[in-house]
Amino acid sequence: ATIQWFPGHMAKARNEVQAKLKQVDLVLEITDARTPEASRNPMMNELVGDKPKIMVLNKQDLADPNVTAQWIRFYESQGTAAIAIDAQHARQLKQIPQLAKKLLHEKIARQQARGIRDPMIKAMCIGIPNVGKSTVLNRLISKNIAVTGNRPGVTKNQQWLKADNSFMLLDTPGILWPKFDDEQVGLKLAFTGAIADNVVNPDDVGLFGLNYFQQRHPDALRKAYHATATDIALPTPDLMVHLAKTNGFGDEYNRMAERVIFDARQGKLGRFTLEVPNEAE
Ligand code: G4P
């Protein structure tokens, strides 16, 4: 689903997230493991403040596992808990409630000391569109909807969904906008399919992607498009024109660009990550 982010929508989305944040103990910030920074909302740190948070790098099945491990270490070095998952496999999601309980162990202990046997952790998913928030949410919850209106600290009429006896989630994720003001971010998000294809010129997106694979994963181009080492050394636009010819698109290099985008999103060019952590930060 594509969302048009006009200033009014952004303000409304921010207000909605702020209101929901007041009701939870913990935030699950969902990002795309192929673009861990580009797929974040620019205001996220400010909005979440001191509230405990887990960075959830989703779609790890599509991302380069070595780079994902670097990102996890990077976030942890900044004091933020982080895990990588593939939300399509429910088993991997079990780590989330476990990690949440670890992060909130002091609060849980306090509640237990007051006689609450099974203290509930209340969490919510937040992220930009298409990172997999709904998939994570749906895979975390069991079928039963928690009826929690008369639990202390839980607003009536707010739907909560139980993941287990001590972990529940707000029924709808918080949706925020990506960083629009950065052209590189736009290209990355368009290449992975996180933003609609009409937002950024597809030729530019294709060239961006092809250049990335030339630099980082030339073997993928050899295998998928029969490119030789000499081909791969060409300037990117020349390579696109050449691959169009050798892959059955004749002079229609734009169709080759679309092909590169399509194949990358489908995983046909192998697992890839467009960003590495900047250790200097
Ligand atoms: P959102 O709520 O954040 O907007 O995202 P949503 O859960 O709708 O997921 C967006 C797309 O990403 C969905 O595909 C979903 O199946 C896919 N997805 C979610 N998590 C993962 C993951 O861990 N790995 C992979 N490979 N894909 C994931 P879609 O394009 O909407 O539909 P379809 O391609 O499944 O038909």
Side-chain angles (χ1 to χ4, degrees):
T2 313
I3 298 171
Q4 296 291 334
W5 293 103
F6 296 109
H9 297 133
M10 291 187 185
K12 186 163 178 265
R14 189 192 56 226
N15 291 342
E16 278 175 12
V17 164
Q18 270 171 329
K20 287 178 176 178
L21 273 169
K22 291 203 181 98
Q23 303 178 52
V24 301
D25 307 306
L26 173 92
V27 169
L28 305 177
E29 181 180 350
I30 319 291
T31 65
D32 186 322
R34 292 168 297 175
T35 51
E37 282 299 310
S39 64
R40 295 188 67 194
N41 169 270
M43 295 183 72
M44 193 64 91
N45 289 348
E46 191 187 314
L47 280 171
V48 172
D50 293 336
K51 205 169 277 285
K53 182 177 84 171
I54 302 175
M55 288 291 296
V56 179
L57 277 63
N58 188 37
K59 309 198 187 188
Q60 73 156 335
D61 54 306
L62 301 174
D64 181 329
N66 295 322
V67 185
T68 299
Q70 284 178 34
W71 276 108
I72 299 290
R73 284 199 299 274
F74 173 72
Y75 289 121
E76 285 175 347
S77 75
Q78 294 194 324
T80 305
I83 58 167
I85 59 158
D86 165 2
Q88 293 168 319
H89 291 95
R91 219 159 27 90
Q92 298 186 16
L93 294 175
K94 290 214 175 92
Q95 304 168 69
I96 292 177
Q98 284 168 8
L99 188 51
K101 280 164 204 172
K102 224 170 94 185
L103 285 177
L104 291 168
H105 69 274
E106 281 175 11
K107 179 169 182 158
I108 292 169
R110 274 200 306 277
Q111 296 194 335
Q112 283 171 336
R114 292 209 313 263
I116 302 168
R117 211 177 298 159
D118 241 341
M120 265 287 183
I121 294 174
K122 291 171 286 179
M124 71 178 291
C125 296
I126 310 184
I128 69 164
N130 290 318
V131 290
K133 297 177 299 299
S134 315
T135 310
V136 171
L137 187 55
N138 289 323
R139 291 294 163 97
L140 268 175
I141 55 158
S142 44
K143 291 279 177 297
N144 5 332
I145 294 170
V147 183
T148 54
N150 46 14
R151 216 173 242 278
V154 173
T155 313
K156 277 188 186 134
N157 305 324
Q158 181 73 66
Q159 287 276 56
W160 294 88
L161 308 167
K162 261 182 171 178
D164 64 33
N165 280 335
S166 49
F167 189 76
M168 63 182 182
L169 286 146
L170 264 184
D171 64 339
T172 50
I175 306 170
L176 293 169
W177 59 95
K179 297 165 190 158
F180 287 116
D181 47 354
D182 181 326
E183 192 196 345
Q184 285 296 308
V185 168
L187 289 168
K188 288 171 188 171
L189 294 179
F191 190 62
T192 55
I195 58 176
D197 287 327
N198 56 7
V199 176
V200 186
N201 179 331
D203 288 353
D204 292 342
V205 178
L207 286 171
F208 166 82
L210 186 59
N211 181 262
Y212 167 83
F213 280 95
Q214 274 179 291
Q215 316 267 344
R216 295 301 192 90
H217 301 287
D219 281 347
L221 301 179
R222 273 189 208 123
K223 258 192 253 160
Y225 307 130
H226 315 291
T228 65
T230 319
D231 298 341
I232 289 164
L234 289 168
T236 308
D238 298 345
L239 176 60
M240 189 70 87
V241 169
H242 175 76
L243 292 181
K245 289 203 177 76
T246 55
N247 285 272
F249 298 117
D251 292 335
E252 295 177 281
Y253 68 89
N254 57 314
R255 287 183 61 200
M256 188 66 216
E258 282 166 20
R259 173 73 186 276
V260 171
I261 297 168
F262 180 82
D263 286 348
R265 288 182 191 168
Q266 297 291 311
K268 294 208 174 88
L269 301 180
R271 298 169 72 167
F272 67 91
T273 303
L274 297 176
E275 307 175 310
V276 291
N278 180 358
E279 303 294 352
E281 266 177 358

